[in-house]
PDB file of all heavy atoms in Angstrom:
ATOM      1  N   ILE W   8     118.402  70.427  80.218  1.00 98.00           N
ATOM      2  CA  ILE W   8     118.646  71.477  79.223  1.00 98.00           C
ATOM      3  C   ILE W   8     117.491  72.484  79.292  1.00 98.00           C
ATOM      4  O   ILE W   8     116.324  72.113  79.113  1.00 98.00           O
ATOM      5  CB  ILE W   8     118.783  70.860  77.816  1.00 98.00           C
ATOM      6  CG1 ILE W   8     120.005  69.909  77.835  1.00 98.00           C
ATOM      7  CG2 ILE W   8     118.916  71.947  76.745  1.00 98.00           C
ATOM      8  CD1 ILE W   8     120.321  69.249  76.528  1.00 98.00           C
ATOM      9  N   VAL W   9     117.831  73.701  79.585  1.00 98.00           N
ATOM     10  CA  VAL W   9     116.804  74.723  79.816  1.00 98.00           C
ATOM     11  C   VAL W   9     116.339  75.331  78.490  1.00 98.00           C
ATOM     12  O   VAL W   9     117.158  75.841  77.710  1.00 98.00           O
ATOM     13  CB  VAL W   9     117.348  75.857  80.713  1.00 98.00           C
ATOM     14  CG1 VAL W   9     116.278  76.917  80.944  1.00 98.00           C
ATOM     15  CG2 VAL W   9     117.845  75.299  82.040  1.00 98.00           C
ATOM     16  N   ALA W  10     115.029  75.270  78.250  1.00 98.00           N
ATOM     17  CA  ALA W  10     114.446  76.010  77.125  1.00 98.00           C
ATOM     18  C   ALA W  10     114.412  77.460  77.602  1.00 98.00           C
ATOM     19  O   ALA W  10     113.495  77.875  78.317  1.00 98.00           O
ATOM     20  CB  ALA W  10     113.051  75.499  76.817  1.00 98.00           C
ATOM     21  N   MET W  11     115.460  78.187  77.264  1.00 98.00           N
ATOM     22  CA  MET W  11     115.628  79.491  77.921  1.00 98.00           C
ATOM     23  C   MET W  11     114.801  80.604  77.275  1.00 98.00           C
ATOM     24  O   MET W  11     114.484  80.573  76.093  1.00 98.00           O
ATOM     25  CB  MET W  11     117.108  79.885  78.006  1.00 98.00           C
ATOM     26  CG  MET W  11     117.772  80.195  76.698  1.00 98.00           C
ATOM     27  SD  MET W  11     119.478  80.781  76.976  1.00 98.00           S
ATOM     28  CE  MET W  11     119.188  82.542  77.242  1.00 98.00           C
ATOM     29  N   TYR W  42     118.447  75.393  75.363  1.00 98.00           N
ATOM     30  CA  TYR W  42     117.731  75.244  74.097  1.00 98.00           C
ATOM     31  C   TYR W  42     117.273  76.652  73.764  1.00 98.00           C
ATOM     32  O   TYR W  42     116.498  77.262  74.516  1.00 98.00           O
ATOM     33  CB  TYR W  42     116.558  74.304  74.342  1.00 98.00           C
ATOM     34  CG  TYR W  42     115.776  73.849  73.135  1.00 98.00           C
ATOM     35  CD1 TYR W  42     116.225  72.783  72.364  1.00 98.00           C
ATOM     36  CD2 TYR W  42     114.559  74.435  72.809  1.00 98.00           C
ATOM     37  CE1 TYR W  42     115.475  72.324  71.285  1.00 98.00           C
ATOM     38  CE2 TYR W  42     113.810  73.981  71.730  1.00 98.00           C
ATOM     39  CZ  TYR W  42     114.268  72.925  70.977  1.00 98.00           C
ATOM     40  OH  TYR W  42     113.531  72.457  69.912  1.00 98.00           O
ATOM     41  N   GLY W  44     115.574  79.725  71.515  1.00 98.00           N
ATOM     42  CA  GLY W  44     114.621  80.072  70.455  1.00 98.00           C
ATOM     43  C   GLY W  44     113.502  79.077  70.229  1.00 98.00           C
ATOM     44  O   GLY W  44     112.912  79.018  69.166  1.00 98.00           O
ATOM     45  N   GLY W  45     113.196  78.284  71.276  1.00 98.00           N
ATOM     46  CA  GLY W  45     112.060  77.364  71.172  1.00 98.00           C
ATOM     47  C   GLY W  45     110.766  78.061  71.553  1.00 98.00           C
ATOM     48  O   GLY W  45     110.622  79.277  71.338  1.00 98.00           O
ATOM     49  N   SER W  46     109.836  77.310  72.140  1.00 97.00           N
ATOM     50  CA  SER W  46     108.548  77.903  72.521  1.00 97.00           C
ATOM     51  C   SER W  46     108.769  78.938  73.617  1.00 97.00           C
ATOM     52  O   SER W  46     108.365  80.102  73.481  1.00 97.00           O
ATOM     53  CB  SER W  46     107.590  76.826  73.042  1.00 97.00           C
ATOM     54  OG  SER W  46     107.623  75.686  72.223  1.00 97.00           O
ATOM     55  N   THR W  47     109.424  78.525  74.680  1.00 98.00           N
ATOM     56  CA  THR W  47     109.707  79.445  75.785  1.00 98.00           C
ATOM     57  C   THR W  47     110.612  80.569  75.317  1.00 98.00           C
ATOM     58  O   THR W  47     110.520  81.707  75.785  1.00 98.00           O
ATOM     59  CB  THR W  47     110.368  78.669  76.947  1.00 98.00           C
ATOM     60  OG1 THR W  47     109.566  77.513  77.234  1.00 98.00           O
ATOM     61  CG2 THR W  47     110.503  79.521  78.184  1.00 98.00           C
ATOM     62  N   GLY W  48     111.475  80.275  74.372  1.00 98.00           N
ATOM     63  CA  GLY W  48     112.424  81.270  73.856  1.00 98.00           C
ATOM     64  C   GLY W  48     111.834  82.228  72.831  1.00 98.00           C
ATOM     65  O   GLY W  48     112.534  83.109  72.348  1.00 98.00           O
ATOM     66  N   GLU W  49     110.545  82.012  72.489  1.00 98.00           N
ATOM     67  CA  GLU W  49     109.815  82.950  71.628  1.00 98.00           C
ATOM     68  C   GLU W  49     110.406  83.072  70.215  1.00 98.00           C
ATOM     69  O   GLU W  49     110.190  84.079  69.529  1.00 98.00           O
ATOM     70  CB  GLU W  49     109.735  84.348  72.279  1.00 98.00           C
ATOM     71  CG  GLU W  49     109.113  84.332  73.676  1.00 98.00           C
ATOM     72  CD  GLU W  49     109.123  85.702  74.363  1.00 98.00           C
ATOM     73  OE1 GLU W  49     108.878  86.724  73.704  1.00 98.00           O
ATOM     74  OE2 GLU W  49     109.360  85.727  75.587  1.00 98.00           O
ATOM     75  N   MET W  51     109.603  81.848  67.443  1.00 98.00           N
ATOM     76  CA  MET W  51     108.626  82.037  66.359  1.00 98.00           C
ATOM     77  C   MET W  51     108.033  83.449  66.335  1.00 98.00           C
ATOM     78  O   MET W  51     107.296  83.812  65.424  1.00 98.00           O
ATOM     79  CB  MET W  51     107.496  81.011  66.477  1.00 98.00           C
ATOM     80  CG  MET W  51     107.804  79.653  65.870  1.00 98.00           C
ATOM     81  SD  MET W  51     109.092  78.701  66.706  1.00 98.00           S
ATOM     82  CE  MET W  51     108.317  78.306  68.262  1.00 98.00           C
ATOM     83  N   HIS W  78     117.234  76.214  68.292  1.00 98.00           N
ATOM     84  CA  HIS W  78     115.980  75.915  67.607  1.00 98.00           C
ATOM     85  C   HIS W  78     115.859  76.848  66.409  1.00 98.00           C
ATOM     86  O   HIS W  78     115.854  78.079  66.574  1.00 98.00           O
ATOM     87  CB  HIS W  78     114.760  76.069  68.532  1.00 98.00           C
ATOM     88  CG  HIS W  78     113.499  75.820  67.787  1.00 98.00           C
ATOM     89  ND1 HIS W  78     112.706  76.834  67.305  1.00 98.00           N
ATOM     90  CD2 HIS W  78     112.953  74.666  67.345  1.00 98.00           C
ATOM     91  CE1 HIS W  78     111.707  76.303  66.608  1.00 98.00           C
ATOM     92  NE2 HIS W  78     111.832  74.983  66.629  1.00 98.00           N
ATOM     93  N   TYR W 135     111.706  68.409  66.783  1.00 98.00           N
ATOM     94  CA  TYR W 135     110.880  68.921  67.886  1.00 98.00           C
ATOM     95  C   TYR W 135     109.433  68.544  67.592  1.00 98.00           C
ATOM     96  O   TYR W 135     108.802  69.112  66.694  1.00 98.00           O
ATOM     97  CB  TYR W 135     111.064  70.436  67.990  1.00 98.00           C
ATOM     98  CG  TYR W 135     110.372  71.128  69.160  1.00 98.00           C
ATOM     99  CD1 TYR W 135     110.563  72.491  69.361  1.00 98.00           C
ATOM    100  CD2 TYR W 135     109.558  70.450  70.069  1.00 98.00           C
ATOM    101  CE1 TYR W 135     109.958  73.168  70.421  1.00 98.00           C
ATOM    102  CE2 TYR W 135     108.943  71.112  71.133  1.00 98.00           C
ATOM    103  CZ  TYR W 135     109.146  72.474  71.303  1.00 98.00           C
ATOM    104  OH  TYR W 135     108.547  73.140  72.336  1.00 98.00           O
ATOM    105  N   ILE W 137     105.819  68.590  68.776  1.00 97.00           N
ATOM    106  CA  ILE W 137     104.901  69.267  69.702  1.00 97.00           C
ATOM    107  C   ILE W 137     103.578  69.496  68.965  1.00 97.00           C
ATOM    108  O   ILE W 137     103.225  70.613  68.563  1.00 97.00           O
ATOM    109  CB  ILE W 137     105.553  70.559  70.309  1.00 97.00           C
ATOM    110  CG1 ILE W 137     104.596  71.294  71.254  1.00 97.00           C
ATOM    111  CG2 ILE W 137     106.127  71.477  69.251  1.00 97.00           C
ATOM    112  CD1 ILE W 137     105.243  72.339  72.163  1.00 97.00           C
ATOM    113  N   THR W 140     100.698  72.325  69.408  1.00 96.00           N
ATOM    114  CA  THR W 140     100.850  73.704  68.936  1.00 96.00           C
ATOM    115  C   THR W 140     101.121  73.793  67.432  1.00 96.00           C
ATOM    116  O   THR W 140     100.768  74.776  66.800  1.00 96.00           O
ATOM    117  CB  THR W 140     101.976  74.451  69.689  1.00 96.00           C
ATOM    118  OG1 THR W 140     103.176  73.736  69.480  1.00 96.00           O
ATOM    119  CG2 THR W 140     101.719  74.532  71.167  1.00 96.00           C
ATOM    120  N   LYS W 163     112.802  65.697  70.492  1.00 98.00           N
ATOM    121  CA  LYS W 163     112.275  66.328  71.712  1.00 98.00           C
ATOM    122  C   LYS W 163     110.779  66.159  71.633  1.00 98.00           C
ATOM    123  O   LYS W 163     110.141  66.616  70.677  1.00 98.00           O
ATOM    124  CB  LYS W 163     112.652  67.798  71.724  1.00 98.00           C
ATOM    125  CG  LYS W 163     111.867  68.631  72.705  1.00 98.00           C
ATOM    126  CD  LYS W 163     112.490  69.998  72.801  1.00 98.00           C
ATOM    127  CE  LYS W 163     111.502  71.068  73.207  1.00 98.00           C
ATOM    128  NZ  LYS W 163     110.626  70.686  74.294  1.00 98.00           N
ATOM    129  N   ILE W 164     110.222  65.514  72.618  1.00 97.00           N
ATOM    130  CA  ILE W 164     108.823  65.126  72.525  1.00 97.00           C
ATOM    131  C   ILE W 164     107.983  65.815  73.601  1.00 97.00           C
ATOM    132  O   ILE W 164     108.148  65.565  74.786  1.00 97.00           O
ATOM    133  CB  ILE W 164     108.683  63.578  72.547  1.00 97.00           C
ATOM    134  CG1 ILE W 164     107.233  63.139  72.669  1.00 97.00           C
ATOM    135  CG2 ILE W 164     109.516  62.931  73.630  1.00 97.00           C
ATOM    136  CD1 ILE W 164     107.032  61.663  72.352  1.00 97.00           C
ATOM    137  N   THR W 165     107.123  66.718  73.153  1.00 97.00           N
ATOM    138  CA  THR W 165     106.215  67.402  74.075  1.00 97.00           C
ATOM    139  C   THR W 165     104.796  66.935  73.786  1.00 97.00           C
ATOM    140  O   THR W 165     104.055  67.559  73.019  1.00 97.00           O
ATOM    141  CB  THR W 165     106.324  68.934  73.931  1.00 97.00           C
ATOM    142  OG1 THR W 165     107.688  69.332  74.157  1.00 97.00           O
ATOM    143  CG2 THR W 165     105.458  69.634  74.978  1.00 97.00           C
ATOM    144  N   THR W 166     104.467  65.781  74.347  1.00 96.00           N
ATOM    145  CA  THR W 166     103.083  65.280  74.297  1.00 96.00           C
ATOM    146  C   THR W 166     102.809  64.656  75.655  1.00 96.00           C
ATOM    147  O   THR W 166     103.745  64.257  76.353  1.00 96.00           O
ATOM    148  CB  THR W 166     102.871  64.185  73.218  1.00 96.00           C
ATOM    149  OG1 THR W 166     103.583  63.001  73.607  1.00 96.00           O
ATOM    150  CG2 THR W 166     103.333  64.623  71.851  1.00 96.00           C
ATOM    151  N   ASN W 187     112.664  64.676  76.965  1.00 98.00           N
ATOM    152  CA  ASN W 187     111.327  64.851  77.510  1.00 98.00           C
ATOM    153  C   ASN W 187     110.922  66.322  77.448  1.00 98.00           C
ATOM    154  O   ASN W 187     111.687  67.191  77.880  1.00 98.00           O
ATOM    155  CB  ASN W 187     111.318  64.375  78.977  1.00 98.00           C
ATOM    156  CG  ASN W 187     109.947  64.467  79.602  1.00 98.00           C
ATOM    157  OD1 ASN W 187     109.104  63.599  79.368  1.00 98.00           O
ATOM    158  ND2 ASN W 187     109.694  65.522  80.362  1.00 98.00           N
ATOM    159  N   GLY W 188     109.717  66.594  76.959  1.00 98.00           N
ATOM    160  CA  GLY W 188     109.245  67.976  76.861  1.00 98.00           C
ATOM    161  C   GLY W 188     108.416  68.465  78.035  1.00 98.00           C
ATOM    162  O   GLY W 188     108.739  69.495  78.624  1.00 98.00           O
ATOM    163  N   PRO W 189     107.335  67.763  78.413  1.00 98.00           N
ATOM    164  CA  PRO W 189     106.503  68.294  79.505  1.00 98.00           C
ATOM    165  C   PRO W 189     107.239  68.207  80.847  1.00 98.00           C
ATOM    166  O   PRO W 189     107.547  67.103  81.321  1.00 98.00           O
ATOM    167  CB  PRO W 189     105.267  67.378  79.493  1.00 98.00           C
ATOM    168  CG  PRO W 189     105.326  66.659  78.176  1.00 98.00           C
ATOM    169  CD  PRO W 189     106.769  66.552  77.824  1.00 98.00           C
ATOM    170  N   ASP W 190     107.508  69.334  81.452  1.00 98.00           N
ATOM    171  CA  ASP W 190     108.323  69.361  82.672  1.00 98.00           C
ATOM    172  C   ASP W 190     107.647  68.596  83.803  1.00 98.00           C
ATOM    173  O   ASP W 190     108.309  67.994  84.639  1.00 98.00           O
ATOM    174  CB  ASP W 190     108.566  70.821  83.108  1.00 98.00           C
ATOM    175  CG  ASP W 190     109.163  71.647  81.990  1.00 98.00           C
ATOM    176  OD1 ASP W 190     109.504  71.066  80.934  1.00 98.00           O
ATOM    177  OD2 ASP W 190     109.270  72.868  82.164  1.00 98.00           O
ATOM    178  N   GLU W 191     106.308  68.647  83.798  1.00 98.00           N
ATOM    179  CA  GLU W 191     105.571  67.976  84.862  1.00 98.00           C
ATOM    180  C   GLU W 191     105.668  66.460  84.751  1.00 98.00           C
ATOM    181  O   GLU W 191     105.283  65.729  85.640  1.00 98.00           O
ATOM    182  CB  GLU W 191     104.113  68.461  84.905  1.00 98.00           C
ATOM    183  CG  GLU W 191     103.352  68.551  83.589  1.00 98.00           C
ATOM    184  CD  GLU W 191     103.717  69.769  82.716  1.00 98.00           C
ATOM    185  OE1 GLU W 191     104.906  70.001  82.435  1.00 98.00           O
ATOM    186  OE2 GLU W 191     102.782  70.458  82.274  1.00 98.00           O
ATOM    187  N   GLN W 192     106.241  65.986  83.648  1.00 98.00           N
ATOM    188  CA  GLN W 192     106.402  64.546  83.442  1.00 98.00           C
ATOM    189  C   GLN W 192     107.852  64.132  83.292  1.00 98.00           C
ATOM    190  O   GLN W 192     108.128  63.057  82.754  1.00 98.00           O
ATOM    191  CB  GLN W 192     105.678  64.128  82.161  1.00 98.00           C
ATOM    192  CG  GLN W 192     104.212  64.171  82.296  1.00 98.00           C
ATOM    193  CD  GLN W 192     103.488  63.719  81.048  1.00 98.00           C
ATOM    194  OE1 GLN W 192     102.292  63.807  81.013  1.00 98.00           O
ATOM    195  NE2 GLN W 192     104.210  63.258  80.032  1.00 98.00           N
ATOM    196  N   GLY W 204     116.071  66.071  79.476  1.00 98.00           N
ATOM    197  CA  GLY W 204     114.852  66.872  79.469  1.00 98.00           C
ATOM    198  C   GLY W 204     115.159  68.252  78.943  1.00 98.00           C
ATOM    199  O   GLY W 204     116.241  68.797  79.196  1.00 98.00           O
ATOM    200  N   ILE W 205     114.220  68.774  78.166  1.00 98.00           N
ATOM    201  CA  ILE W 205     114.311  70.172  77.713  1.00 98.00           C
ATOM    202  C   ILE W 205     113.037  70.832  78.185  1.00 98.00           C
ATOM    203  O   ILE W 205     111.941  70.381  77.832  1.00 98.00           O
ATOM    204  CB  ILE W 205     114.410  70.270  76.173  1.00 98.00           C
ATOM    205  CG1 ILE W 205     115.662  69.562  75.654  1.00 98.00           C
ATOM    206  CG2 ILE W 205     114.395  71.743  75.727  1.00 98.00           C
ATOM    207  CD1 ILE W 205     115.779  69.538  74.123  1.00 98.00           C
ATOM    208  N   GLY W 206     113.148  71.881  78.994  1.00 98.00           N
ATOM    209  CA  GLY W 206     111.912  72.464  79.501  1.00 98.00           C
ATOM    210  C   GLY W 206     112.023  73.927  79.855  1.00 98.00           C
ATOM    211  O   GLY W 206     113.100  74.437  80.161  1.00 98.00           O
ATOM    212  N   GLY W 207     110.869  74.585  79.787  1.00 98.00           N
ATOM    213  CA  GLY W 207     110.800  76.017  80.016  1.00 98.00           C
ATOM    214  C   GLY W 207     110.771  76.401  81.487  1.00 98.00           C
ATOM    215  O   GLY W 207     111.350  77.410  81.878  1.00 98.00           O
ATOM    216  N   THR W 208     110.102  75.570  82.314  1.00 98.00           N
ATOM    217  CA  THR W 208     110.052  75.937  83.734  1.00 98.00           C
ATOM    218  C   THR W 208     111.374  75.610  84.429  1.00 98.00           C
ATOM    219  O   THR W 208     111.612  76.060  85.540  1.00 98.00           O
ATOM    220  CB  THR W 208     108.869  75.265  84.480  1.00 98.00           C
ATOM    221  OG1 THR W 208     109.107  73.858  84.591  1.00 98.00           O
ATOM    222  CG2 THR W 208     107.553  75.500  83.766  1.00 98.00           C
ATOM    223  N   TYR W 209     112.245  74.836  83.760  1.00 98.00           N
ATOM    224  CA  TYR W 209     113.568  74.548  84.345  1.00 98.00           C
ATOM    225  C   TYR W 209     114.303  75.869  84.623  1.00 98.00           C
ATOM    226  O   TYR W 209     115.080  75.952  85.559  1.00 98.00           O
ATOM    227  CB  TYR W 209     114.466  73.747  83.399  1.00 98.00           C
ATOM    228  CG  TYR W 209     114.004  72.386  82.938  1.00 98.00           C
ATOM    229  CD1 TYR W 209     114.774  71.670  82.019  1.00 98.00           C
ATOM    230  CD2 TYR W 209     112.829  71.795  83.410  1.00 98.00           C
ATOM    231  CE1 TYR W 209     114.395  70.411  81.576  1.00 98.00           C
ATOM    232  CE2 TYR W 209     112.443  70.531  82.957  1.00 98.00           C
ATOM    233  CZ  TYR W 209     113.228  69.849  82.029  1.00 98.00           C
ATOM    234  OH  TYR W 209     112.869  68.613  81.571  1.00 98.00           O
ATOM    235  N   ILE W 242     104.222  74.083  89.166  1.00 98.00           N
ATOM    236  CA  ILE W 242     103.775  74.177  87.767  1.00 98.00           C
ATOM    237  C   ILE W 242     102.245  74.276  87.690  1.00 98.00           C
ATOM    238  O   ILE W 242     101.703  75.037  86.880  1.00 98.00           O
ATOM    239  CB  ILE W 242     104.301  72.983  86.931  1.00 98.00           C
ATOM    240  CG1 ILE W 242     105.830  73.085  86.784  1.00 98.00           C
ATOM    241  CG2 ILE W 242     103.646  72.944  85.548  1.00 98.00           C
ATOM    242  CD1 ILE W 242     106.488  71.885  86.117  1.00 98.00           C
ATOM    243  N   LEU W 245     101.409  77.717  88.164  1.00 96.00           N
ATOM    244  CA  LEU W 245     101.938  78.498  87.043  1.00 96.00           C
ATOM    245  C   LEU W 245     101.007  78.420  85.835  1.00 96.00           C
ATOM    246  O   LEU W 245     100.815  79.397  85.106  1.00 96.00           O
ATOM    247  CB  LEU W 245     103.302  77.909  86.678  1.00 96.00           C
ATOM    248  CG  LEU W 245     104.251  78.737  85.860  1.00 96.00           C
ATOM    249  CD1 LEU W 245     104.818  79.861  86.710  1.00 96.00           C
ATOM    250  CD2 LEU W 245     105.392  77.870  85.348  1.00 96.00           C
ATOM    251  N   LEU W 246     100.439  77.247  85.628  1.00 96.00           N
ATOM    252  CA  LEU W 246      99.596  77.037  84.453  1.00 96.00           C
ATOM    253  C   LEU W 246      98.252  77.776  84.552  1.00 96.00           C
ATOM    254  O   LEU W 246      97.525  77.856  83.572  1.00 96.00           O
ATOM    255  CB  LEU W 246      99.383  75.539  84.201  1.00 96.00           C
ATOM    256  CG  LEU W 246     100.640  74.771  83.758  1.00 96.00           C
ATOM    257  CD1 LEU W 246     100.359  73.283  83.624  1.00 96.00           C
ATOM    258  CD2 LEU W 246     101.219  75.312  82.451  1.00 96.00           C
ATOM    259  N   VAL W 250     101.609  81.615  81.196  1.00 97.00           N
ATOM    260  CA  VAL W 250     102.766  80.848  81.681  1.00 97.00           C
ATOM    261  C   VAL W 250     104.125  81.462  81.324  1.00 97.00           C
ATOM    262  O   VAL W 250     105.013  81.571  82.177  1.00 97.00           O
ATOM    263  CB  VAL W 250     102.652  79.356  81.291  1.00 97.00           C
ATOM    264  CG1 VAL W 250     102.575  79.154  79.806  1.00 97.00           C
ATOM    265  CG2 VAL W 250     103.764  78.540  81.888  1.00 97.00           C
ATOM    266  N   TYR W 251     104.290  81.916  80.081  1.00 97.00           N
ATOM    267  CA  TYR W 251     105.618  82.448  79.713  1.00 97.00           C
ATOM    268  C   TYR W 251     105.898  83.772  80.434  1.00 97.00           C
ATOM    269  O   TYR W 251     107.027  84.036  80.839  1.00 97.00           O
ATOM    270  CB  TYR W 251     105.741  82.606  78.197  1.00 97.00           C
ATOM    271  CG  TYR W 251     105.510  81.293  77.456  1.00 97.00           C
ATOM    272  CD1 TYR W 251     104.373  81.090  76.676  1.00 97.00           C
ATOM    273  CD2 TYR W 251     106.421  80.255  77.573  1.00 97.00           C
ATOM    274  CE1 TYR W 251     104.154  79.883  76.023  1.00 97.00           C
ATOM    275  CE2 TYR W 251     106.214  79.036  76.926  1.00 97.00           C
ATOM    276  CZ  TYR W 251     105.077  78.865  76.140  1.00 97.00           C
ATOM    277  OH  TYR W 251     104.870  77.669  75.514  1.00 97.00           O
ATOM    278  N   ILE W 254     106.846  82.834  84.018  1.00 98.00           N
ATOM    279  CA  ILE W 254     108.229  82.325  84.112  1.00 98.00           C
ATOM    280  C   ILE W 254     109.197  83.512  84.111  1.00 98.00           C
ATOM    281  O   ILE W 254     110.117  83.593  84.927  1.00 98.00           O
ATOM    282  CB  ILE W 254     108.557  81.356  82.942  1.00 98.00           C
ATOM    283  CG1 ILE W 254     107.737  80.054  83.055  1.00 98.00           C
ATOM    284  CG2 ILE W 254     110.062  81.044  82.911  1.00 98.00           C
ATOM    285  CD1 ILE W 254     107.869  79.107  81.867  1.00 98.00           C
TER     286      ILE W 254
HETATM  287  C1  HMN A 301     110.350  74.984  74.613  1.00 58.82           C
HETATM  288  O1  HMN A 301     110.598  74.772  73.438  1.00 58.82           O
HETATM  289  O2  HMN A 301     110.255  76.078  75.100  1.00 58.82           O
HETATM  290  C2  HMN A 301     110.099  73.891  75.584  1.00 58.82           C
HETATM  291  O3  HMN A 301     111.077  72.959  75.628  1.00 58.82           O
HETATM  292  C3  HMN A 301     108.797  73.277  75.416  1.00 58.82           C
HETATM  293  C4  HMN A 301     108.446  72.635  76.696  1.00 58.82           C
HETATM  294  O4  HMN A 301     108.075  71.310  76.465  1.00 58.82           O
HETATM  295  C5  HMN A 301     107.369  73.418  77.359  1.00 58.82           C
HETATM  296  N1  HMN A 301     106.163  73.323  76.596  1.00 58.82           N
HETATM  297  C6  HMN A 301     105.584  74.407  76.083  1.00 58.82           C
HETATM  298  O5  HMN A 301     105.960  75.521  76.314  1.00 58.82           O
HETATM  299  C7  HMN A 301     104.399  74.200  75.220  1.00 58.82           C
HETATM  300  C8  HMN A 301     107.239  72.944  78.783  1.00 58.82           C
HETATM  301  O6  HMN A 301     108.398  73.335  79.444  1.00 58.82           O
HETATM  302  C9  HMN A 301     106.014  73.551  79.472  1.00 58.82           C
HETATM  303  O7  HMN A 301     106.108  74.946  79.484  1.00 58.82           O
HETATM  304  C10 HMN A 301     105.934  73.048  80.894  1.00 58.82           C
HETATM  305  O8  HMN A 301     105.936  71.644  80.889  1.00 58.82           O
HETATM  306  C11 HMN A 301     104.668  73.552  81.599  1.00 58.82           C
HETATM  307  O9  HMN A 301     103.555  72.896  81.078  1.00 58.82           O
END
Side-chain angles (χ1 to χ4, degrees):
I8 298 182
V9 180
M11 68 175 274
Y42 188 83
S46 316
T47 309
E49 304 176 40
M51 277 67 68
H78 177 261
Y135 185 176
I137 179 165
T140 59
K163 164 170 153 44
I164 171 166
T165 303
T166 68
N187 183 79
D190 306 353
E191 46 284 52
Q192 289 182 185
I205 299 176
T208 69
Y209 300 177
I242 292 173
L245 198 72
L246 292 176
V250 60
Y251 302 110
I254 293 173

